Amino acid sequence: MTSDPVLRASDADRDRVAAVLSEALATGMLTSLEHADRLDATYAAKTVGELTPIVRDLPDVTATNIGPLGIEQQTIDSKFSKVIRKGRWVASRHTRLSARFGALIIDLSEAVLPGREITIEADARFSKLIVLVPDNAQVIDEGGSMFGKRHVTGGGAREDGPLIRVTGRSMFSKVIVSREVSDWNLRSVG
């Protein structure tokens, strides 16, 4: 981020501040409410000077802290097994979910999201893949299914919530993306 406070902030500047906030939430330096408030201020900021006070009391996140792909992408894989990711964890801007002959359950409701928009690539073969999204999330389904079921719900979200874009393909599988636990049929997951 440039040091001139009157310059317009770029998307990259806002993303760097969001990364600092995500790390602070994940390590317990910020509460969920503080994180949400600061993240809203981050994406509303027009200048670099407006971004500075948002992270002034937090340590900077360097590339060594988040790794080369730490926030940008990750893969969660399940082969012939059941994998569950829930609670407080750091999601990536692009998360690939791959399930083969098993079950993969991902709960984003308490996850630290690294920005306003993330992409979930749901790739399932002969499996069940379930994603629980935050209550305020807007979900856009851009994926497809062959010989399976794909149930993606996303209406009724607030405009200030994250945008979760669901892509990918499934074959002989069931893919559920929802904010309602009642939409899940967890007993059949095994």
Side-chain angles (χ1 to χ4, degrees):
M1 196 163 36
T2 181
S3 60
D4 190 349
V6 296
L7 287 179
R8 300 283 293 188
S10 68
D11 286 341
D13 293 331
R14 290 183 198 87
D15 287 344
R16 278 191 288 280
V17 170
V20 172
L21 296 175
S22 294
E23 183 69 19
L25 177 62
T27 58
M29 288 185 262
L30 291 177
T31 66
S32 296
L33 184 58
E34 290 171 319
H35 177 263
D37 290 344
R38 290 186 189 204
L39 196 60
D40 287 344
T42 298
Y43 286 102
K46 303 246 186 291
T47 66
V48 173
E50 293 173 22
L51 291 173
T52 304
I54 295 170
V55 292
R56 180 171 284 140
D57 62 339
L58 299 172
D60 191 17
V61 177
T62 62
T64 57
N65 291 26
I66 58 175
L69 301 174
I71 284 185
E72 289 304 314
Q73 64 183 13
Q74 69 177 299
T75 299
I76 302 171
D77 196 23
S78 170
K79 289 184 178 140
F80 297 99
S81 60
K82 179 179 177 180
V83 173
I84 300 173
R85 170 94 38 112
K86 65 180 182 174
R88 199 156 111 183
W89 60 284
V90 180
S92 296
R93 195 166 304 285
H94 183 96
T95 301
R96 182 172 188 274
L97 305 177
S98 176
R100 301 287 188 269
F101 299 98
L104 182 55
I105 302 169
I106 304 298
D107 185 349
L108 294 172
S109 60
E110 295 180 39
V112 177
L113 303 179
R116 290 272 184 185
E117 182 175 336
I118 67 168
T119 300
I120 301 291
E121 181 184 347
D123 180 23
R125 304 289 186 264
F126 303 98
S127 299
K128 187 168 194 176
L129 196 150
I130 300 171
V131 180
L132 178 64
V133 299
D135 288 336
N136 64 343
Q138 178 184 0
V139 181
I140 297 174
D141 184 16
E142 297 176 343
S145 180
M146 182 186 308
F147 301 113
K149 179 178 181 181
R150 188 175 181 93
H151 179 74
V152 179
T153 58
R158 295 190 330 238
E159 287 184 20
D160 63 340
L163 173 65
I164 300 175
R165 191 174 305 277
V166 182
T167 65
R169 307 223 26 100
S170 61
M171 292 177 57
F172 302 100
S173 298
K174 185 174 190 176
V175 175
I176 300 170
V177 179
S178 175
R179 66 178 52 84
E180 297 291 326
V181 175
S182 63
D183 286 350
W184 298 19
N185 187 3
L186 295 179
R187 287 188 174 85
S188 68
V189 174

